Amino acid sequence: MTPKDIEHLIQQHPLVDNLIKLQETTWFNPKITPLKEGLPFVGLTTKDVQDASQRLARFAPYLCKAFPETAISKGIIESEIVAIPKMKVALEARYHAKIAGNLLLKKDSHLPISGSIKARGGIYEVLTHAEKLAIKHGLLTEKDDYSQLFSDKFKQFFSQYSIAVGSTGNLGLSIGIMSAKLGFNVSVHMSADAREWKKQKLRSHGVNVVEYEQDYGVAVEQGRKAAQSDPNCFFIDDENSQTLFLGYSVAGERVKKQFEEMNIKVDKDHPLFVYLPCGVGGGPGGVAFGLKLAFGDNVHCFFAEPTHSPCMLLGVYTGLHDKIAVQDIGIDNITAADGLAVGRPSGFVGRAMERLLDGFYTISDQHMYDLLGLLNQQEQIQLEPSALAGMIGPLRIEGDKSYLNQIHASPEVMKNATHLVWATGGGMVPEQEMKKYLSLAK
Ligand SMILES: *Cc1c(COP(=O)(O)O)cnc(C)c1O
């Protein structure tokens, strides 16, 4: 984009100027519609989510055996929801504002196998691919006990095939570990910002790690190219995959069940607000889709991004989606928030979900570190920086009375609100790395 193009863009979309100046920005989405009207634009249905859920149930006996840490949940990969009341008090004190309602944390940070939200979508897509191959070759039917996949016979079968993916780290961990366990040859194409410990962990699982000096977009492109030259190689396309999206979406019905067990009501008088850190968009998009199906118009979803990588906000706000990258307007896409360092949003998620999301906001890296320190201090829960992007969400909405009016959330109603902060990663960060993160908190 030329300076003149950028000037023109700012004239039409004034918040672009705030983004360029790296100011923390909140945008409440005027394109939001009731679920009924927005749903057809997603192109996926409740039935697709149920299929995904059933597929994960078929694989549960396999996961139980292959990853014994999943045995306590009978092979279902799911995380806890915990109340963080001390954090709520600390946030109120720090920001001199009240948070009406309850503050909860969804600990995808502590999901088994790969310690991040990617243990949903990434693992699901690998399982889907494995199932397809095994069924196609007459080795498996949907009625079989899938624990038989944990065998030399199947490992040998899958070793004829390869899987490739581009990643900033966490998707690579999920897909790499899962693929290698099944027996696939797997290559993870890693962007420059990927952490050394993630690469080491993958290599220790027998994964081929390919390193790039460029960002996520380049790693994905190179991974795609490498896969094209090999007909037995399956490329997992984080930028466009509906399978990944569906793997994430199963979270909706799971949260609904967890809330029922916790006696947490969600209805017109008990709204649910969910704050989801966003990179390319598949994770938060899929989870938000599942939540909308589970709770309808009573759930309000927000995407949170670093000030240096506001790709989804930029794409949806300008309507340009994947036709614009943050670099086009001079933003560097350099952030400490692993998984969120994405310059160009998914071409699919923004278009699919833009009518179902209440808003988007950005947060600075220093702010994420500060919240990381505060959560550790108040609740003894340790997360990676990206996972804190959601934590400021309740304050952003409390600060905007016109938004609350628009959704009919009176102070009476907000007293019954539930704020669910989606903690997307951090469970596997080595102690030394965590110490570094904590030392950066102010
Ligand atoms: C990948 C990731 C996200 C966001 O998911 P996208 O699908 O890239 O939008 C958020 N937090 C962490 C820790 C991640 O690894």
Side-chain angles (χ1 to χ4, degrees):
M1 274 190 166
T2 64
K4 195 132 191 110
D5 292 337
I6 294 176
E7 207 179 290
H8 188 65
L9 192 67
I10 293 170
Q11 266 166 17
Q12 291 178 300
H13 306 286
L15 284 182
V16 169
D17 195 39
N18 301 51
L19 298 181
I20 292 172
K21 291 182 177 139
L22 305 176
Q23 288 164 353
E24 292 192 336
T25 304
T26 306
W27 179 57
F28 294 96
N29 178 13
K31 299 177 208 173
I32 184 147
T33 64
L35 177 62
K36 270 205 319 285
E37 289 165 37
L39 200 54
F41 292 91
V42 183
L44 296 165
T45 63
T46 307
K47 165 106 183 16
D48 296 312
V49 180
Q50 280 166 356
D51 277 354
S53 180
Q54 284 162 9
R55 179 164 294 108
L56 288 168
R58 288 198 291 279
F59 272 99
Y62 167 77
L63 291 173
C64 247
K65 272 196 174 170
F67 298 98
E69 69 266 34
T70 67
I72 42 165
S73 57
K74 301 197 169 66
I76 294 296
I77 300 169
E78 194 44 73
S79 70
E80 265 190 303
I81 296 175
V82 296
I84 44 171
K86 290 189 193 127
M87 184 65 179
K88 181 179 152 180
V89 173
L91 284 171
E92 290 177 329
R94 193 177 176 110
Y95 295 100
H96 312 290
K98 279 306 251 192
I99 299 173
N102 239 327
L103 185 63
L104 306 179
L105 191 71
K106 178 66 174 160
K107 288 174 73 182
D108 273 13
S109 47
H110 292 75
L111 280 174
I113 304 180
S114 64
S116 82
I117 188 171
K118 303 297 191 313
R120 297 182 185 276
I123 287 174
Y124 175 71
E125 180 144 13
V126 174
L127 297 178
T128 303
H129 182 60
E131 183 183 57
K132 210 162 120 189
L133 285 173
I135 289 177
K136 186 174 149 202
H137 288 82
L139 298 172
L140 187 72
T141 73
E142 286 186 11
K143 298 217 163 50
D144 289 342
D145 175 359
Y146 280 26
S147 69
Q148 63 175 298
L149 270 72
F150 190 60
S151 64
D152 285 341
K153 177 183 138 192
F154 273 96
K155 272 194 159 175
Q156 247 175 17
F157 170 67
F158 290 126
S159 74
Q160 307 166 71
Y161 299 93
S162 50
I163 289 182
V165 66
S167 169
T168 63
N170 286 337
L171 185 66
L173 273 184
S174 291
I175 287 176
I177 293 172
M178 188 66 248
S179 304
K181 182 68 86 175
L182 280 160
F184 287 106
N185 287 303
V186 51
S187 297
V188 176
H189 298 258
M190 287 276 206
S191 54
D193 53 308
R195 308 277 160 186
E196 201 47 47
W197 68 266
K198 291 183 183 173
K199 297 178 193 169
Q200 276 175 19
K201 196 176 181 78
L202 280 173
R203 290 192 175 110
S204 77
H205 280 84
V207 174
N208 175 31
V209 176
V210 190
E211 297 175 77
Y212 295 92
E213 279 172 21
Q214 295 95 341
D215 80 347
Y216 163 86
V218 174
V220 170
E221 225 16 73
Q222 293 302 316
R224 197 192 304 273
K225 266 196 201 145
Q228 268 164 4
S229 58
D230 177 358
N232 279 338
C233 183
F234 178 64
F235 175 69
I236 294 185
D237 186 352
D238 192 20
E239 290 174 323
N240 298 291
S241 170
Q242 295 199 352
T243 310
L244 273 175
F245 186 87
L246 287 171
Y248 291 116
S249 71
V250 173
E253 61 177 40
R254 304 247 185 101
V255 168
K256 187 165 187 175
K257 193 158 155 246
Q258 286 178 310
F259 275 5
E260 279 161 14
E261 286 161 9
M262 295 167 82
N263 282 320
I264 294 170
K265 255 198 221 162
V266 179
D267 60 27
K268 193 161 67 51
D269 301 317
H270 300 76
L272 170 61
F273 298 90
V274 185
Y275 310 97
L276 295 147
C278 176
V280 73
V287 169
F289 178 58
L291 289 167
K292 289 306 267 193
L293 291 178
F295 298 106
D297 295 323
N298 300 317
V299 62
H300 304 276
C301 299
F302 289 83
F303 284 8
E305 295 176 291
T307 49
H308 284 256
S309 306
C311 68
M312 190 58 79
L313 198 173
L314 180 66
V316 174
Y317 171 61
T318 60
L320 293 170
H321 297 290
D322 60 340
K323 301 277 190 299
I324 190 166
V326 301
Q327 290 93 338
D328 296 341
I329 57 169
I331 301 177
D332 61 9
N333 189 31
I334 293 176
T335 167
D338 294 20
L340 309 189
V342 177
R344 188 184 299 279
S346 159
F348 150 61
V349 173
R351 290 184 182 92
M353 292 298 293
E354 63 182 342
R355 293 164 194 83
L356 300 177
L357 301 171
D358 280 50
F360 302 77
Y361 66 82
T362 62
I363 174 171
S364 71
D365 279 22
Q366 185 58 50
H367 231 133
M368 287 186 251
Y369 282 129
D370 295 349
L371 293 164
L372 186 154
L374 201 61
L375 185 69
N376 176 57
Q377 191 187 66
Q378 298 298 323
E379 306 278 354
Q380 292 76 51
I381 297 173
Q382 283 126 32
L383 303 178
E384 57 183 285
S386 10
L388 277 305
M391 194 62 82
I392 202 77
L395 293 151
R396 297 289 178 87
I397 69 164
E398 291 283 351
D400 197 294
K401 299 298 168 216
S402 71
Y403 164 68
L404 292 176
N405 276 336
Q406 190 196 320
I407 61 162
H408 310 294
S410 64
E412 271 310 291
V413 168
M414 285 307 284
K415 269 195 232 148
N416 305 325
T418 299
H419 301 275
L420 183 62
V421 174
W422 212 278
T424 45
M428 291 190 177
V429 175
E431 209 181 312
Q432 276 309 314
E433 296 281 324
M434 190 53 74
K435 273 197 188 138
K436 272 190 236 161
Y437 286 154
L438 288 167
S439 74
L440 291 164
K442 287 202 198 104

